[in-house]
């Protein structure tokens, strides 16, 4: 009786499955669109990182003799109404947009996750108050809310980041709260409590890893939105100071010369479109790969 | 000597205007080294008892009574003191092994987690846990630690959860329906696992189950629960081979091996309990007295039983 089961096991050829490899990486390589988007993103990030080295001119050097030029050998993408080199400004602008967007997404991801965790995990009055706060923040139209905050704080890179984070954190918080509520009821949480785990440990080790996939998908798609918001605010002339090259501000200043020098709007617009499309494709692909309910998902 | 003593435990869940009486006035003790079984049909309050021992019930549950463990009343301990007992002294093997493992953490991490906050013991403990896994018929435990829970079979997951709950060497292991959702072969394996835990590790166990075979093989003493009350409590062999209480008789006759004879009727609503004996509506021996007076639990022939029928005789 005692050894019968062990004997049975010994007779069976008992094969364990292979250890879990880098399935996610494999899947990325299977999807052509994601691979392409990823390469394009790396290209953009590379350009942004090395922008000060590779940009041919000082992005703020005014040269009124060369204003409103079309693309030529000297100025690859032409110049704007003050004779500033468009290529240099787009490169530096990529740096501005990407770094601000990264900051905004990281801050709101962190804030939102923390708030959502606390609200979902503790429930009761804590949940009520945080949820109402989230509702309030989500009820304002994003750009107008950011405009108000920037109007109060004044323009600047840091203030822009702060304003957009204040607008964006609530989305993450709401998503995280929902995730926590569903994960909290799973039995492994009970089992962790049973083995004497504290609240913080459970949140860190059990809840966040289970929710992170969903959050990352949101963050990726949101990245594109944040870049659009930055461009919008700069286009309205309230985001960044005039000496910081930024795509939205370039669009705004170029629109007056659209008939005579259309490249001043085409190139920054193209840059914005490209980066938003890249992040959309990445977010879509990540949702397909990380969402267990999606077809072919082995991660049940 | 009793290791765990439950005295007059009652659990109620408020639901709207009503209260659901899940467990009422349950008392029993678990002696050191013995395996105590609680059997009964679904919804008879078995699992609620298991959860209330470690205060794992949802916050709205009203628990009264006392649970003494090593001289401490578990129901009135501070949360920080309770955490020292959970998993270390009393560990609960959860009901559903598939859900009890976190799907995004590797198996190794889930075992390590028991030793969290105790770095010195971690290495030693992991070594012991690996040894334990071998003992519990899990092959190649090192490799198993690098896998995710979904890559294991149901039986393996069940044995792994058993390992996790045993790896801190608790004094009492509470196993809540360990054979739920397992196929017959894995169930047979579970019987082996529990026999081994009992004979080799000399663990005190509280086995909550409706698997009568498992209870018969493993338990020393058995309490039969019906509608939140203990109706019979005696040696396992006595309860399962010569049952006294009509409900226990019905439960055993309903086993496929004994002819699959169903008990007529349904267990009573826990919001509005019937007058008199809770079982009288379904009992074929029931008398006028049964529908008026609620029977007290009495000593009878070495065990405890809650039935007028025996006292009438």
């Amino acid at each position: 009786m005692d050894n019968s089961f062990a004997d049975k096991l010994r007779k069976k050829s008992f094969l364990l499955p292979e250890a879990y490899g880098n399935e996610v990486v494999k899947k990325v390589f299977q999807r052509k669109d994601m691979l392409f988007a990823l390469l394009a993103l790396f290209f953009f990030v590379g350009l942004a990182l090395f922008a000060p080295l590779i940009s041919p001119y000082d992005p703020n050097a005014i040269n009124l003799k060369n204003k409103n030029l079309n693309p030529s050998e000297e100025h690859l993408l032409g110049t704007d109404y003050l004779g500033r080199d468009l290529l240099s400004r787009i490169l530096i602008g990529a740096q501005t947009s990407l770094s601000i967007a990264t900051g905004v997404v990281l801050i709101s991801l962190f804030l939102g996750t923390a708030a959502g965790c606390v609200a979902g995990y503790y429930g009761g009055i804590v949940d009520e108050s945080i949820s109402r706060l989230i509702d309030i923040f989500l009820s304002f139209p994003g750009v107008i809310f950011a405009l108000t905050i920037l109007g109060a704080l004044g323009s600047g890179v840091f203030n822009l980041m702060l304003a957009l984070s204040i607008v964006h954190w609530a989305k993450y918080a709401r998503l995280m709260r929902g995730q926590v509520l569903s994960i909290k009821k799973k039995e492994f949480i009970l089992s962790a409590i049973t083995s004497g785990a504290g609240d913080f440990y459970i949140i860190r080790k059990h809840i966040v890893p289970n929710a992170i996939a969903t959050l990352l998908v949101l963050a990726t798609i949101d990245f594109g939105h944040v870049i659009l918001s930055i461009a919008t605010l700069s286009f309205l002339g309230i985001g960044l100071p005039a000496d910081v090259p930024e795509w939205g501000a370039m669009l705004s200043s170029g629109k007056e010369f659209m008939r005579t020098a259309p490249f001043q709007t085409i190139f920054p617009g193209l840059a914005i479109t490209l980066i938003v499309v890249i992040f959309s494709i990445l977010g879509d692909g990540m949702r397909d790969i990380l969402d267990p309910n999606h077809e072919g998902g082995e991660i049940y | 000597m009793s290791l765990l003593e439950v005295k007059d435990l009652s659990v109620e869940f408020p639901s709207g205007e009503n209260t659901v009486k899940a467990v009422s006035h349950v008392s029993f003790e678990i002696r050191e080294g013995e395996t105590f079984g609680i059997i009964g049909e679904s919804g008879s309050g078995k699992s609620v008892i298991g959860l209330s021992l470690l205060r794992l019930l949802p916050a709205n549950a009203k628990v009264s009574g006392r649970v003494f463990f090593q001289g401490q009343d578990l129901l009135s301990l501070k949360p920080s003191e309770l955490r020292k007992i959970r998993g270390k002294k009393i560990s609960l093997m959860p009901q559903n092994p598939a859900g009890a493992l976190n799907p995004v953490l590797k198996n190794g991490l889930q075992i390590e987690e028991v030793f969290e906050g105790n770095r010195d013991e971690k290495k030693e403990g992991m070594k012991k846990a690996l040894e334990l896994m071998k003992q519990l018929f899990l092959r190649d435990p090192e490799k198993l630690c690098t896998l995710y829970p979904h890559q294991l079979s149901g039986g393996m997951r069940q044995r792994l959860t058993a390992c996790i709950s045993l790896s801190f060497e608790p004094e009492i292991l509470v196993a809540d329906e360990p054979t739920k959702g397992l196929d017959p072969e894995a169930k047979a394996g579970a019987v082996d696992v529990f026999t081994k835990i009992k004979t080799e590790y000399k663990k005190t166990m509280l086995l909550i189950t409706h698997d009568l075979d498992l209870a018969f093989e493993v338990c020393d003493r058995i309490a039969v629960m019906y509608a939140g009350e203990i109706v019979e409590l005696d040696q396992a062999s006595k309860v399962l081979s010569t049952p006294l209480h009509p409900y226990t008789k019905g439960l055993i006759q309903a086993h496929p091996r004994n002819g699959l004879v169903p008990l007529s009727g349904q267990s009573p609503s826990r919001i509005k309990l019937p007058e008199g004996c809770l079982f009288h509506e379904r009992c074929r021996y029931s008398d006028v007295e049964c529908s008026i007076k609620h029977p007290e639990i009495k000593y009878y022939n070495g065990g405890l039983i809650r039935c007028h029928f025996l006292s009438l005789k």
Side-chain angles (χ1 to χ4, degrees):
Chain A
M1 169 71 200
D2 209 0
N3 285 321
S4 62
F5 190 69
D7 285 336
K8 236 183 279 165
L9 282 188
R10 253 174 245 127
K11 275 175 209 154
K12 261 189 206 169
S13 63
F14 207 65
L15 290 175
L16 288 172
E18 282 306 304
Y20 218 62
N22 282 325
E23 298 282 310
V24 174
V25 176
K26 238 186 267 169
K27 277 184 189 154
V28 171
F29 276 95
Q30 277 166 9
R31 286 184 58 122
K32 293 280 178 319
D33 57 341
M34 255 192 106
L35 200 61
F36 186 73
L38 214 59
L39 286 178
L41 178 66
F42 282 141
F43 178 67
F44 258 95
V45 171
L47 282 185
L49 277 180
F50 298 108
L53 297 177
I54 52 178
S55 57
Y57 296 90
D58 178 359
N60 287 325
I62 297 173
N63 185 352
L64 287 175
K65 266 191 257 166
N66 292 337
K67 68 177 183 179
N68 294 340
L69 287 184
N70 280 345
S72 63
E73 265 177 43
E74 231 168 291
H75 297 278
L76 277 177
L77 300 182
T79 56
D80 69 357
Y81 71 108
L82 290 174
R84 297 177 293 194
D85 183 47
L86 272 179
L87 178 63
S88 310
R89 286 181 71 75
I90 283 180
L91 287 176
I92 301 286
Q95 201 176 26
T96 324
S97 290
L98 284 175
S99 56
I100 293 178
T102 311
V104 169
V105 168
L106 284 183
I107 293 172
S108 37
L109 186 64
F110 180 77
L111 271 183
T113 310
C117 270
V118 171
Y121 191 81
Y122 291 102
I125 185 89
V126 183
D127 182 22
E128 278 299 312
S129 35
I130 294 181
S131 292
R132 291 299 83 77
L133 198 69
I134 292 173
D135 287 347
I136 292 169
F137 274 79
L138 283 177
S139 62
F140 291 112
V143 171
I144 294 177
F145 192 25
L147 264 178
T148 322
I149 300 168
L150 275 176
L153 293 174
S155 64
V157 174
F158 179 75
N159 285 350
L160 182 62
M161 229 190 266
L162 194 71
L164 286 176
S165 303
I166 291 173
V167 174
H168 279 264
W169 73 274
K171 259 195 276 181
Y172 295 87
R174 192 174 56 173
L175 183 75
M176 188 64 192
R177 176 178 169 271
Q179 291 281 316
V180 175
L181 283 183
S182 77
I183 296 168
K184 199 171 73 163
K185 294 202 180 69
K186 297 267 168 71
E187 206 160 5
F188 56 80
I189 301 292
L190 183 71
S191 137
I193 298 173
T194 313
S195 51
D199 291 348
F200 184 65
Y201 180 84
I202 290 172
I203 289 177
R204 186 170 57 94
K205 259 289 175 34
H206 288 285
I207 291 179
V208 172
N210 270 294
I212 202 77
T214 324
L215 279 173
L216 278 184
V217 172
L218 178 70
T220 316
I221 296 176
D222 209 32
F223 219 100
H225 291 293
V226 172
I227 286 180
L228 260 183
S229 304
I230 297 169
T232 312
L233 289 173
S234 309
F235 185 85
L236 296 172
I238 197 158
L240 292 166
D243 61 330
V244 181
E246 209 285 332
W247 296 338
M250 288 164 72
L251 270 182
S252 164
S253 62
K255 73 176 190 293
E256 287 166 34
F257 309 95
M258 209 134 84
R259 288 171 185 236
T260 51
F263 293 104
Q264 288 181 35
T265 45
I266 289 176
F267 287 123
L270 213 56
I272 296 172
T273 315
L274 264 180
I275 203 101
V276 174
V277 167
I278 285 172
F279 278 111
S280 286
I281 293 175
L282 279 182
D284 260 7
M286 270 175 60
R287 194 185 53 214
D288 290 353
I289 289 173
L290 296 174
D291 183 0
N293 296 324
H294 202 266
E295 45 155 339
E298 233 196 327
I299 323 175
Y300 78 101
Chain B
M1 195 196 124
S2 67
L3 191 60
L4 186 88
E5 199 179 349
V6 176
K7 267 190 181 169
D8 207 26
L9 180 76
S10 301
V11 182
E12 291 179 351
F13 295 101
S15 109
E17 289 173 14
N18 307 312
T19 34
V20 179
K21 299 179 187 78
V23 174
S24 42
H25 307 291
V26 164
S27 304
F28 60 88
E29 52 169 36
I30 301 174
R31 298 170 194 147
E32 205 160 342
E34 86 169 343
T35 304
F36 188 84
I38 299 181
I39 59 173
E41 61 189 35
S42 298
S44 56
K46 307 184 299 281
S47 299
V48 174
I49 291 186
L51 292 176
S52 60
L53 293 188
L54 284 172
R55 299 225 315 249
L56 294 167
L57 291 170
N60 66 346
K62 280 186 201 143
V63 186
S64 66
R66 280 158 180 245
V67 178
F68 286 109
F69 171 74
Q70 294 181 335
Q72 290 169 297
D73 184 3
L74 294 183
L75 298 184
S76 58
L77 275 186
K78 275 186 237 153
S80 59
E81 286 170 344
L82 194 65
R83 273 182 60 191
K84 283 180 200 150
I85 287 179
R86 282 177 178 168
K88 277 99 190 166
K89 300 240 170 93
I90 302 177
S91 89
L92 182 97
M93 204 179 130
Q95 205 172 58
N96 165 15
L101 298 166
N102 188 339
V104 300
L105 294 184
K106 288 185 178 167
N107 297 323
L109 271 175
Q110 322 224 13
I111 303 170
E112 261 176 47
E113 154 180 301
V114 183
F115 306 104
E116 198 62 39
N118 216 334
R119 259 160 226 278
D120 307 335
E121 282 180 39
K122 204 168 185 172
K123 265 196 175 163
E124 196 74 3
M126 274 310 280
K127 242 186 238 167
K128 270 189 207 158
L130 289 179
E131 192 53 40
L132 193 71
M133 283 161 83
K134 277 193 195 132
Q135 291 284 314
L136 293 184
F137 318 115
L138 280 167
R139 284 198 152 190
D140 203 355
E142 283 87 0
K143 180 159 185 206
L144 207 115
C145 285
T146 63
L147 297 175
Y148 286 94
H150 74 276
Q151 294 174 302
L152 308 182
S153 72
M156 286 162 90
R157 266 180 248 173
Q158 197 248 335
R159 277 170 267 148
L160 188 70
T161 43
C163 273
I164 293 173
S165 15
L166 279 175
S167 53
F168 212 89
E169 305 194 339
E171 316 240 339
I172 299 179
L173 174 68
V174 181
D176 190 357
E177 302 210 15
T179 52
K180 193 181 190 183
L182 294 180
D183 55 64
E185 195 178 349
K187 263 188 196 174
V191 172
D192 289 359
V193 167
F194 280 99
T195 319
K196 193 149 200 173
I197 294 172
K198 188 182 154 187
T199 53
E200 281 187 24
Y201 293 91
K202 307 253 180 300
K203 284 275 172 291
T204 313
M205 276 193 283
L206 173 61
L207 195 65
I208 297 163
T209 183
H210 47 212
D211 184 344
L212 296 182
D213 293 330
L214 177 73
F216 186 73
E217 295 277 356
V218 185
C219 295
D220 297 316
R221 291 196 304 146
I222 285 182
V224 183
M225 289 202 55
Y226 180 74
E229 286 183 336
I230 290 183
V231 292
E232 188 168 357
L233 196 162
D234 207 342
Q235 304 293 330
S237 51
K238 266 162 89 186
V239 171
L240 293 176
S241 47
T242 55
L244 290 170
H245 195 279
Y247 174 67
T248 321
K249 280 182 189 166
L251 199 65
I252 286 162
Q253 272 165 10
H255 193 280
R257 207 175 39 218
N258 302 332
L260 204 68
V261 186
L263 265 174
S264 60
Q266 286 185 327
S267 40
S269 154
R270 226 58 78 62
I271 292 169
K272 195 166 172 290
L273 288 169
E275 294 274 313
C277 175
L278 299 182
F279 188 60
H280 81 268
E281 287 161 343
R282 303 169 76 184
C283 181
R284 57 184 153 139
Y285 305 100
S286 73
D287 209 333
V288 183
E289 195 188 354
C290 294
S291 58
I292 300 168
K293 204 176 136 202
H294 186 71
E296 292 301 315
I297 196 153
K298 294 190 191 82
Y299 282 99
Y300 180 81
N301 200 8
L304 284 162
I305 187 161
R306 191 191 285 274
C307 185
H308 288 308
F309 180 63
L310 287 164
S311 48
L312 287 171
K313 268 221 153 173

